[in-house]
């Protein structure tokens, strides 16, 4: 029985002749074959220097007949042999994805359905062979493509379909082609063929209005005319990038400009460079060559090419040729060998790849550059080169030198300029950025304001840090919005996003000693703890969420069908957009990692405000994110006050999500501002008064050790610190005695000393608050067993403190200290429900703990405790895979684990009828 399934698949498929060339032609061919169309013949150009066109290679591999005619006609007449060969394949439709040959009209009109052609502009605008160039040269705001029916005119046939996209301010021919015209052009050609096969293809006459025709761009007519505005100069340069290249004369020789962008910031300092015809000299800066229009505005070009084909970064104009040859290690020799094999595969016409072999002079094209970069990435351990690296080192020997420098980290992007504060400390030179990080650049605050960040170990000033203004916040949000909506981050596939996050995790790990030292200087964290926890868990967090990037997915949902229709419903998980993150001062880098890693893995961009008193590791993180390759605008760091920068973030209309860790009072204010402004999504990790219940059947020594960690870990500046210990009456006195004995063994001192157990409190105001907390406890009648005083030495040191006899009505029993203060209350032997009622008698619910050998009791207590986390016979045991967050007035939303991703994603439901 014929089910019709096979018939349906082949019913509306055509026999096609593909006429053209290039990688684009190859992709169109492959996609048409996948769709079930039969390509009966491929007509392409002859081999060049013994090297076949990519379309020919693909077709020959499939066994498709391939014809390589140097021309189709002579003296206006079709060559008989060519026409006969063409007609022999019996095509029903000619498809011309990209063709440089003139095809006779008798061939164009021969098939049943005629011929369709791809053109990279929105016809009738920019007819001619240089359409993409002219789209940019003319400053068009929209670019696009057309698939049209061939006629006897030049790009004048009826339109079948068109697609358009926005032109980005710094698009070049390459970026526009690679981002839109290439991938969408392939889809459009396949769609057009199917429309013809289904009998649904329109023929829309091209309007006369708006029609333009421009000639082919050639090197001789690409010279720059300088008496124009900066925007027109920019459009001229990018419209000729990479072919044929806009040029000017400098010091008597032709110099071609590549990589133009409009300069929106102030002009950086640089060395003047005289340019023939320009009224004002250019400036060779650290970032590139600054050029000036006749309107006083500026643009910048990144790369220069000389007459001999040599390309250099524009910033190196005055130092070109000074780079020395590096000797290769054994491992680098292996990499060079692999790359030689790749070159040989691309340059198949070259018998032997020598050091002097020139990539382009051997016949390589711009699409071969893409292939080279991709093959190196796949076969050389993920080594990420840019297309420009190939253009800058066209000879094999020079290319290998560039690759080796890239591998060694000696060939980093020069665009990031960092003005460090350097200190010789902890047997190393610590380099600390101190400016705002906005749109991929370190910059002073708009109004120039700064503030001092203080070393809590001795009260000295570490450095002055930029104090972000409202203008800076708005700039950062605008940069993040642009990066999300228009930048490469928004177009980046999930695995590439994960690769960047893995790279960032590696850089954090490679720089962990410096980061831990900065954390010790800026927050007072004990160096050994900072190394393991502050930095170590930050590395783990980025690696964990990097692995999630390509595993975020929706689901298909069966729904009721409305017969005779059929429906498909599915959900998609999508990023929210621009997210704001405000972090506390107790774990500066780790809190940054907990929130920003999930945010970035979900595909969002972010503006992060570190705590005013601990900004330095966040700014160092910004530097490392740039080195990891994160596109500009994805990550923005704005140091400053909560009242100015933090409040503006909570009110900003372009922010779609705010994640905050801090006090409950500030959390309430943030939530109110977020609601009133634009109902932005909020997650809050707020104050806590975490109860720790210690039963008399516990392992006492372990409970003492863990109980001390629950209170004194990180100097008590710990969001989940046990704010109140309930100790069963029969072991209470022994527990207190053992705790005091262990406290006396703790070494209080310099956090950079490897033997130090307890460092300084984070800042002066916090120390004073803790001393007042202790005074309140004594006044209310609690027993001060140990400590309660400032340590007599420079800095903000406080003695580890123990209070007992704390009653439920006391201030110490209700309020969080956020410091090294153990608050102990007794409970009657066997009174499980009574102690649970006391433990839950708080508006907070971040964490909790229980120590007992009785598993049934442990499970019962963990079920009844009102907290986001319950630790059983342990404490402070957090992991990147386990969700973390509170209940009640300790907030809502989760950090860490899969649940954290949902804080930074939205769910879209799609239902279609078919």
């Amino acid at each position: 029985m014929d089910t019709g399934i096979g018939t349906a698949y082949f019913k509306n498929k055509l026999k096609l002749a593909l006429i053209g060339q290039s990688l684009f032609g190859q992709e169109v061919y492959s996609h048409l074959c996948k769709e079930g169309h039969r390509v009966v013949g491929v007509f392409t150009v002859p081999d060049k220097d013994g090297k076949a066109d990519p379309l020919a290679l693909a077709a020959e591999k499939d066994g498709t007949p391939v014809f390589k005619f140097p021309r189709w006609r002579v003296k206006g007449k079709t060559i008989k042999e060519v026409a006969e060969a063409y007609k022999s394949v019996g095509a029903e439709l000619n498809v011309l994805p990209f063709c440089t040959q003139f095809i006779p009209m008798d061939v164009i009109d021969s098939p049943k359905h005629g011929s369709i052609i791809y053109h990279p502009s929105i016809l009738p605008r920019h007819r001619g062979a240089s359409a993409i160039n002219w789209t940019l040269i003319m400053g068009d705001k929209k670019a696009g493509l057309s698939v049209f029916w061939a006629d006897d005119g030049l790009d004048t046939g009826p339109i079948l379909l068109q697609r358009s996209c926005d032109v980005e301010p710094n698009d070049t021919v390459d970026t526009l082609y690679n981002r839109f015209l290439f991938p969408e052009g392939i889809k459009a050609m396949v769609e057009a063929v199917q429309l013809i096969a289904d009998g649904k293809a329109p023929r829309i006459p091209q309007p006369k209005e708006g029609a333009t025709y421009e000639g082919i761009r050639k090197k001789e007519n690409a010279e720059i005319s300088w008496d124009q505005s900066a925007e027109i100069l920019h459009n001229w340069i990018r419209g000729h990038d990479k072919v044929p290249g806009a040029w000017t004369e400098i010091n008597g020789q032709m110099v071609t400009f590549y990589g133009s962008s409009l300069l929106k910031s102030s002009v950086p300092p640089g060395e003047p460079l005289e340019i023939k015809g320009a009224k004002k000299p250019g400036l060779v800066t650290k970032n590139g060559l600054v050029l000036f229009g006749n309107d006083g505005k500026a643009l910048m070009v990144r790369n220069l090419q000389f007459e001999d084909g040599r390309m250099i970064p524009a910033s190196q104009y005055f130092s070109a040729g000074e780079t020395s040859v590096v000797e290769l290690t054994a491992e680098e020799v292996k990499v060079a060998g692999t790359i030689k094999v790749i070159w040989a595969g691309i340059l198949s016409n070259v018998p032997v790849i020598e050091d002097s072999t020139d990539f382009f002079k051997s016949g390589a094209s711009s699409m071969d550059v893409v292939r080279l970069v991709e093959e190196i990435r796949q076969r050389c351990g993920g080594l990420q080169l840019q297309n420009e690296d190939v253009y800058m080192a066209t000879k094999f020997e020079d290319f290998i030198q560039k690759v080796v420098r890239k591998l060694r980290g000696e060939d980093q992007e020069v665009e990031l300029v960092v003005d460090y504060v350097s200190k010789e400390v902890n047997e190393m030179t610590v380099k600390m950025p101190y400016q705002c990080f906005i749109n991929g650049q370190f910059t002073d605050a708009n109004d120039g304001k700064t503030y001092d960040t203080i070393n809590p170990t001795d009260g000295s000033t570490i450095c002055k840090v930029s104090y972000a203004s409202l203008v800076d916040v708005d700039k950062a949000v605008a940069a993040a919005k642009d990066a999300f909506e228009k930048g490469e981050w928004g177009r980046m596939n999930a695995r590439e996003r994960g690769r960047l996050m893995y790279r960032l995790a590696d850089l954090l790990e490679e720089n962990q000693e410096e980061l831990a030292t900065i954390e010790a200087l800026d927050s007072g964290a004990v160096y050994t703890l900072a190394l393991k926890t502050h930095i170590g868990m930050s590395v783990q967090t980025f690696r964990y969420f990097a692995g999630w990037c390509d595993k975020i997915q929706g689901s298909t949902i069966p729904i009721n069908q409305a017969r005779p229709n059929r429906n498909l419903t599915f959900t998609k998980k999508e990023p929210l957009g621009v997210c704001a993150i405000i972090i506390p001062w107790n774990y500066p880098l780790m809190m940054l990692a907990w929130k920003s890693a999930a945010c970035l893995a979900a595909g969002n961009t972010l503006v992060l405000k570190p705590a005013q008193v601990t900004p330095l590791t966040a700014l160092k993180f910004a530097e490392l994110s740039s080195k990891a390759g994160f596109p500009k605008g994805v990550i923005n760091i704005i140091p400053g006050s909560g009242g100015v920068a933090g409040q503006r973030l909570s009110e900003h209309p372009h922010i779609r999500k705010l994640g905050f860790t801090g006090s409950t009072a500030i959390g309430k204010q943030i939530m109110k501002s977020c609601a009133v402004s634009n109902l932005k999504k909020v997650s809050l990790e707020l104050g806590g008064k975490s109860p720790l219940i210690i039963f008399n059947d516990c392992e006492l020594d372990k409970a003492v050790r863990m109980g001390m960690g629950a209170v004194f870990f990180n100097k008590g500046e710990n969001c989940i610190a046990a704010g109140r210990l309930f100790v069963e009456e029969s072991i209470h006195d022994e527990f207190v005695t053992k705790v005091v004995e262990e406290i006396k063994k703790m070494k209080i001192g310099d956090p950079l000393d490897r033997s130090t157990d307890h460092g300084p409190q984070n800042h002066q105001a916090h120390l004073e608050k803790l001393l007042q907390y202790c005074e309140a406890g004594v006044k209310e009648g609690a027993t001060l067993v140990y400590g309660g005083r400032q340590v007599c030495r420079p800095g903000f040191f406080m003695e580890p403190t123990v209070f007992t006899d704390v009653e439920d009505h006391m201030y110490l029993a209700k309020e969080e200290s956020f410091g090294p203060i153990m608050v102990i209350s007794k409970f009657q032997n066997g009174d499980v429900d009574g102690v649970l009622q006391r433990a839950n008698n708080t508006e907070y619910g971040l964490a909790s703990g229980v120590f007992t050998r009785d598993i049934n009791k442990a499970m019962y207590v963990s079920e009844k405790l009102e907290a986001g986390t319950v630790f059983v016979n342990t404490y402070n045991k957090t992991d990147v895979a386990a969700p973390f967050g509170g209940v009640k007035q300790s907030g809502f939303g989760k950090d860490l684990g899969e649940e954290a991703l949902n804080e930074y994603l939205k769910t879209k439901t799609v239902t279609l009828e078919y």
Side-chain angles (χ1 to χ4, degrees):
M1 182 180 69
D2 184 5
T3 63
I5 295 175
T7 306
Y9 181 77
F10 292 106
K11 181 179 178 182
N12 296 324
K13 303 300 174 182
L14 297 176
K15 293 189 289 183
L16 308 173
L18 246 73
I19 304 175
Q21 68 230 54
S22 80
L23 185 60
F24 181 71
Q26 174 196 320
E27 288 295 319
V28 171
Y29 163 82
S30 298
H31 281 74
L32 287 170
C33 291
K34 287 178 183 177
E35 289 297 312
H37 298 286
R38 183 184 171 197
V39 179
V40 293
V42 166
F43 298 84
T44 187
V45 294
D47 296 353
K48 182 180 179 181
D49 298 324
K51 184 180 176 185
D53 183 82
L55 174 58
L57 288 172
E60 288 169 347
K61 184 178 179 181
D62 292 344
T64 301
V66 176
F67 304 87
K68 301 178 182 181
F69 301 131
R71 62 184 63 84
W72 288 71
R73 65 179 191 169
V74 174
K75 295 181 180 180
K77 293 185 178 181
T78 306
I79 300 171
K80 181 180 178 182
E81 294 82 359
V82 173
E84 290 175 351
Y86 165 77
K87 290 179 180 179
S88 70
V89 301
E92 297 172 320
L93 174 70
N94 291 332
V95 178
L96 285 73
F98 174 75
C99 182
T100 58
Q101 295 178 314
F102 187 91
I103 310 301
M105 283 307 299
D106 53 344
V107 173
I108 291 292
D109 294 335
S110 176
K112 172 184 176 182
H113 297 291
S115 303
I116 60 170
I117 303 176
Y118 167 86
H119 186 78
S121 80
I122 307 173
L123 292 171
R125 186 164 174 80
H126 303 312
R127 292 169 176 161
S130 295
I132 313 176
N133 303 79
W134 283 105
T135 297
L136 297 173
I137 291 169
M138 300 303 291
D140 293 359
K141 301 303 181 184
K142 289 282 186 181
L145 59 92
S146 304
V147 179
F148 68 96
W149 298 94
D151 64 4
D152 58 358
L154 184 61
D155 304 332
T156 57
I159 300 297
L160 195 160
L161 62 79
Q162 293 182 316
R163 299 285 183 269
S164 66
C165 70
D166 292 332
V167 177
E168 296 182 3
N170 296 321
D171 262 331
T172 65
V173 173
D174 276 357
T175 62
L176 189 56
Y177 183 72
N178 293 331
R179 184 181 85 248
F180 183 82
L181 297 173
F182 182 87
E184 294 302 318
I186 295 165
K187 295 176 186 176
M189 289 298 282
V190 174
E191 182 181 345
V193 170
Q194 192 59 54
L195 285 170
I196 295 168
D198 294 339
K200 298 178 180 179
R203 292 176 179 262
I204 304 169
Q206 291 190 32
K208 294 181 179 180
E209 184 180 351
T212 64
Y213 172 81
E214 296 93 1
I216 296 174
R217 301 309 301 154
K218 296 181 179 180
K219 195 72 174 181
E220 57 266 27
N221 54 25
E223 184 176 5
I224 300 168
S225 176
W226 289 103
D227 191 19
Q228 302 181 85
S229 70
E231 184 175 1
I232 291 175
L233 292 174
H234 166 63
N235 288 337
W236 183 264
I237 294 170
R238 68 182 180 137
H240 291 84
D241 186 343
K242 291 283 190 289
V243 178
W247 61 276
T248 191
E249 188 176 318
I250 301 176
N251 292 329
Q253 69 167 316
M254 179 190 291
V255 178
T256 304
F257 292 166
Y258 298 108
S260 174
S261 59
L262 288 169
L263 192 63
K264 296 181 179 180
S265 58
S266 58
V267 176
E271 190 172 349
L273 177 64
E274 293 293 336
I275 300 173
K276 184 179 179 181
K279 293 182 178 180
K280 187 176 181 180
L283 280 179
V284 177
T285 73
K286 291 181 179 180
N287 295 340
L289 174 61
V290 176
L291 306 168
F292 299 92
N294 61 10
D295 56 353
K297 296 181 179 180
L299 61 147
M300 181 180 288
V301 293
R302 292 197 310 272
N303 302 309
L304 307 175
Q305 188 174 38
F306 299 103
E307 291 181 12
D308 61 2
R310 181 170 51 99
M311 185 180 282
I312 64 166
S315 59
Q316 298 177 13
Y317 179 84
F318 290 113
S319 58
E322 295 179 4
T323 306
S324 59
V325 176
V326 297
E327 293 293 329
L328 274 59
T329 65
E331 191 63 33
E332 290 164 350
V333 169
K334 291 181 182 178
V335 173
T338 301
I339 293 174
K340 180 173 282 191
V341 171
I342 296 171
W343 273 52
I346 296 172
L347 305 176
S348 56
N349 55 305
V350 178
V352 180
I353 302 296
E354 306 282 357
D355 285 347
S356 60
T357 301
D358 188 286
F359 193 67
F360 296 106
K361 291 179 181 178
S362 299
S365 66
S366 59
M367 292 313 301
D368 292 316
V369 173
V370 177
R371 175 182 169 186
L372 176 61
V373 169
E374 284 302 301
E375 285 202 42
I376 289 175
R377 182 179 63 81
Q378 292 170 0
R379 299 174 64 179
C380 297
L383 175 61
Q384 188 64 57
L385 300 176
Q386 304 299 321
N387 291 358
E388 290 173 356
D389 293 326
V390 185
Y391 290 107
M392 289 185 186
T394 61
K395 291 182 180 179
F396 182 75
E397 182 179 32
D398 296 337
F399 185 73
I400 293 300
Q401 290 283 308
K402 176 166 278 293
V403 168
V404 169
R405 288 192 172 90
K406 183 82 72 173
L407 286 168
R408 297 180 183 182
E410 299 172 4
D411 197 32
Q412 299 292 338
E413 288 284 337
V414 297
E415 292 187 11
L416 183 66
V417 178
V418 188
D419 190 6
Y420 298 106
V421 169
S422 297
K423 288 188 178 295
E424 296 293 330
V425 62
N426 202 22
E427 299 182 354
M428 69 179 76
T429 301
V430 176
K431 294 183 176 181
M432 297 171 285
Y434 61 88
Q435 298 166 295
C436 301
F437 185 74
I438 300 173
N439 202 26
Q441 298 290 337
F442 283 104
T443 180
D444 291 334
N446 182 68
D447 56 13
K449 287 186 178 180
T450 62
Y451 69 95
D452 294 341
T453 186
I454 304 299
N455 183 346
T457 301
D458 57 12
S460 64
T461 298
I462 302 171
C463 65
K464 290 187 178 295
V465 177
S466 293
Y467 188 89
S469 66
L470 295 178
V471 173
D472 297 307
V473 176
D474 290 346
K475 285 181 179 178
V477 174
K481 186 173 185 288
D482 191 66
F484 181 79
E485 295 177 353
K486 301 176 182 178
E488 61 177 299
W489 181 256
R491 302 186 301 271
M492 188 178 292
N493 67 61
R495 289 183 183 173
E496 178 66 11
R497 193 162 69 239
R499 186 193 68 79
L500 289 179
M501 291 185 66
Y502 276 123
R503 176 60 180 145
L504 179 54
D506 291 344
L507 285 171
L508 290 171
E509 189 171 53
E510 290 168 17
N511 292 272
Q512 60 183 336
E513 289 85 1
E514 184 179 20
L515 288 164
T517 301
I518 296 172
E519 204 85 315
L521 290 175
D522 205 23
S523 76
V526 173
Y527 175 77
T528 50
L529 176 65
L531 201 60
K532 178 180 182 295
T533 301
H534 292 232
I535 315 305
M537 195 170 188
S538 300
V539 173
Q540 293 174 26
T541 303
F542 270 95
R543 287 197 175 129
Y544 173 81
F545 282 107
W548 267 111
C549 287
D550 62 353
K551 300 170 186 67
I552 299 170
Q553 54 191 321
S555 58
T556 55
I557 302 170
I559 65 171
N560 289 336
Q561 311 286 347
R563 296 179 181 179
N565 300 322
R566 302 181 69 189
N567 301 99
L568 171 66
T569 295
F570 60 91
T571 60
K572 297 173 64 180
K573 296 288 188 179
E574 297 179 343
L576 298 170
V578 181
C579 297
I581 294 173
I582 303 175
I583 58 173
W585 43 258
N586 57 328
Y587 295 103
L589 187 65
M590 193 174 80
M591 291 295 98
L592 176 154
W594 279 23
K595 295 188 186 302
S596 63
C599 174
L600 294 168
N604 302 287
T605 57
L606 65 88
V607 180
L608 183 141
K609 193 198 86 64
Q612 183 172 347
V613 292
T614 54
L616 296 181
T617 44
L619 294 171
K620 190 69 178 180
F621 167 85
E623 177 194 351
L624 297 178
S625 72
S626 180
K627 290 183 177 179
F630 277 80
K632 65 180 183 178
V634 174
I635 296 171
N636 304 273
I637 310 291
I638 47 169
S641 71
V644 176
Q647 184 63 28
R648 178 58 178 156
L649 288 173
S650 65
E651 296 171 343
H652 204 291
H654 293 155
I655 289 173
R656 296 301 172 191
K657 160 69 194 282
L658 191 147
F660 172 75
T661 296
S663 72
T664 298
I666 299 299
K668 289 179 178 179
Q669 179 60 42
I670 284 175
M671 190 172 178
K672 180 180 178 181
S673 298
C674 289
V676 170
S677 57
N678 62 340
L679 276 178
K680 58 176 65 71
K681 189 175 181 180
V682 181
S683 58
L684 304 171
E685 195 248 282
L686 307 176
K689 188 67 176 173
S690 302
L692 174 57
I693 303 172
I694 300 175
F695 289 101
N696 59 14
D697 62 350
C698 71
E699 186 182 332
L700 187 58
D701 288 341
K702 181 179 181 180
V704 169
R705 185 175 70 254
M706 291 286 185
M708 290 183 64
V711 176
F712 302 127
F713 188 81
N714 198 48
K715 312 161 294 174
E717 296 168 353
N718 186 18
C719 52
I720 57 171
R724 191 175 181 193
L725 274 67
F726 295 92
V727 182
E728 199 159 5
E729 189 173 15
S730 60
I731 62 168
H732 174 274
D733 292 348
E734 185 181 2
F735 179 86
V736 172
T737 300
K738 286 178 175 289
V739 165
V740 172
E741 288 174 354
E742 292 302 315
I743 288 176
K744 291 176 180 178
K745 298 175 186 177
M746 293 172 65
K747 180 179 177 180
I748 301 172
D750 184 352
L752 292 173
D753 185 334
R754 304 308 192 266
S755 63
T756 294
D757 298 303
H758 189 80
Q761 304 311 134
N762 187 276
H763 51 281
Q764 178 73 47
H766 183 55
L767 172 61
E768 293 172 356
K769 175 189 167 187
L770 293 175
L771 295 173
Q772 292 168 5
Y773 186 91
C774 292
E775 290 174 8
V778 173
K779 287 180 181 178
E780 284 193 313
T783 302
L784 178 60
V785 177
Y786 190 88
R789 299 183 299 269
Q790 181 174 357
V791 178
C792 186
R793 59 170 291 163
F796 311 140
F797 291 85
M798 180 175 179
E799 294 176 338
T801 299
V802 178
F803 277 98
T804 61
D805 302 318
V806 178
E807 302 297 332
D808 293 354
H809 68 276
M810 292 180 178
Y811 181 77
L812 269 63
K814 296 179 178 180
E815 297 300 324
E816 179 183 28
S817 72
F818 212 66
I821 302 172
M822 184 177 284
V823 175
I824 302 176
S825 300
K826 288 181 189 177
F827 68 95
Q828 293 181 356
N829 292 333
D831 188 10
V832 177
D833 289 324
V835 74
L836 277 170
Q837 183 178 359
R838 295 172 70 189
N840 288 330
N841 186 24
T842 173
E843 276 300 302
Y844 300 111
L846 188 56
S848 60
V850 56
F851 278 83
T852 176
R853 286 190 174 98
D854 185 339
I855 186 63
N856 292 321
K857 186 190 297 181
M859 294 303 295
Y860 177 77
V861 171
S862 64
E863 180 182 338
K864 296 298 182 181
L865 282 169
E866 298 170 357
T869 297
V870 180
F871 297 108
V872 179
N873 293 329
T874 187
Y875 209 89
N876 289 323
K877 181 60 179 177
T878 54
D879 187 87
V880 294
F884 178 91
V887 297
K888 299 193 285 189
Q889 291 199 45
S890 287
F892 50 83
K894 296 294 184 182
D895 291 325
L896 305 180
E898 181 180 0
E899 287 194 39
L901 288 169
N902 294 324
E903 301 294 332
Y904 296 93
L905 291 165
K906 59 186 177 184
T907 301
K908 178 182 287 182
T909 301
V910 180
T911 298
L912 59 91
E913 184 175 287
Y914 62 98

